[in-house]
């Protein structure tokens, strides 16, 4: 009987002591980094953001959300390229990417996890340089899409009385986007 009371008392003591320890778990946030609103990309052109964006060591994923209203039947490509990969592509036409996706009309969520820290560009490609080949037949098979780039950042939570919902994407930083369309 004494053992039973001792175990119950020990369990209560552990629960009491453990409630005094404050552990601040990391809160993960989707941060809007780039936005391109319903740009039109003609066939045999590619688009990239003029200024690179930086992926820091606290970013664990990159998510690109596309809302494409018009695309060719064969699709178009979306690339995540480092600055050196983009420079090499512009100089030689040779495609080397960190990540690539093929999309068509509709709503697309593209995600790449564990991207190394560094400076990057998003390229939306409607040329023959990548894996998808256009059917240049005299018709302009253009792409019209809305693109948003989100970075998944891990930050240390602060202690406050307000409740936060880390499952909701938050728009903490919005960077204006300058377009660059290049014919290839």
């Amino acid at each position: 009987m004494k053992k039973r009371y001792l175990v119950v008392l020990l369990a209560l003591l552990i629960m009491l002591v453990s409630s005094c320890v404050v552990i601040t778990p990391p809160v993960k946030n989707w941060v809007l980094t780039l936005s391109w609103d319903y740009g039109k990309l003609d066939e045999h052109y590619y688009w990239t953001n003029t200024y690179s964006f930086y992926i820091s060591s606290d970013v664990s994923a990159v998510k690109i959300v596309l809302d494409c209203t018009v695309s060719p039947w064969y699709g178009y490509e979306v690339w995540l390229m480092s600055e050196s990969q983009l420079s090499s592509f512009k100089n030689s036409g040779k495609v080397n990417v960190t990540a690539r996706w093929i999309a068509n009309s509709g709503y697309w969520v593209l995600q790449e996890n564990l991207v190394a820290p560094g400076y990057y560009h998003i390229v939306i490609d409607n040329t023959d340089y990548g894996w998808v080949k256009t059917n240049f037949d005299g018709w302009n098979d253009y792409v019209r899409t809305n693109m948003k780039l989100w970075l998944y950042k891990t930050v240390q939570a602060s202690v406050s009385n307000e409740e936060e919902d880390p499952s909701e994407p938050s728009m903490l930083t919005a960077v204006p986007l300058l377009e660059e369309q290049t014919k290839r």
Side-chain angles (χ1 to χ4, degrees):
M1 233 7 170
K2 288 183 184 182
K3 279 187 177 181
R4 189 174 193 185
Y5 288 117
L6 187 58
V7 170
V8 170
L9 182 63
L10 184 59
L12 287 172
L13 185 61
I14 290 172
M15 288 189 319
L16 180 64
V17 171
S18 67
S19 67
C20 294
V21 177
V22 177
I23 299 173
T24 56
V27 176
K28 300 185 190 263
N29 294 301
W30 282 109
V31 179
L32 179 62
T33 305
L34 291 175
S35 179
W36 188 43
D37 293 326
Y38 293 101
K40 180 182 175 189
L41 182 61
D42 291 323
E43 186 173 8
H44 283 275
Y45 284 83
Y46 67 88
W47 171 91
T48 185
N49 50 302
T50 303
Y51 298 104
S52 61
F53 59 92
Y54 185 72
I55 295 180
S56 58
S57 60
D58 65 342
V59 172
S60 62
V62 174
K63 178 168 59 175
I64 301 166
V65 178
L66 300 168
D67 184 9
C68 182
T69 57
V70 178
S71 78
W73 63 268
Y74 46 80
Y76 60 98
E77 294 179 64
V78 180
W79 304 331
L80 175 64
M81 299 179 105
S82 68
E83 282 198 323
S84 61
Q85 289 169 330
L86 181 63
S87 177
S88 175
F89 170 64
K90 285 181 173 182
N91 293 329
S92 69
K94 191 173 182 181
V95 178
N96 180 19
V97 300
T98 300
R100 73 177 178 97
W101 303 271
I102 298 172
N104 287 83
S105 292
Y107 187 80
W108 294 84
V109 177
L110 316 171
Q111 186 168 325
E112 183 70 16
N113 297 322
L114 304 174
V115 178
Y119 290 93
Y120 290 88
H121 291 266
I122 297 296
V123 177
I124 298 177
D125 177 61
N126 196 13
T127 70
D128 288 338
Y129 283 93
W131 292 263
V132 173
K133 302 302 179 202
T134 62
N135 70 338
F136 198 65
D137 55 3
W139 293 97
N140 181 11
D141 294 322
Y142 66 92
V143 173
R144 183 172 301 279
T145 190
N146 179 10
M147 186 273 302
K148 298 211 180 308
L149 171 73
W150 298 83
L151 299 180
Y152 198 55
K153 288 194 167 197
T154 304
V155 295
Q156 191 64 28
S158 61
V159 178
S160 73
N161 293 332
E162 298 176 18
E163 290 188 27
E164 297 178 15
D165 183 7
S167 64
E168 291 294 316
S170 60
M171 288 192 210
L172 299 177
T173 308
V175 179
L177 179 72
L178 298 175
E179 299 179 16
E180 178 181 317
Q181 255 195 38
T182 308
K183 185 172 183 169
R184 289 302 232 163

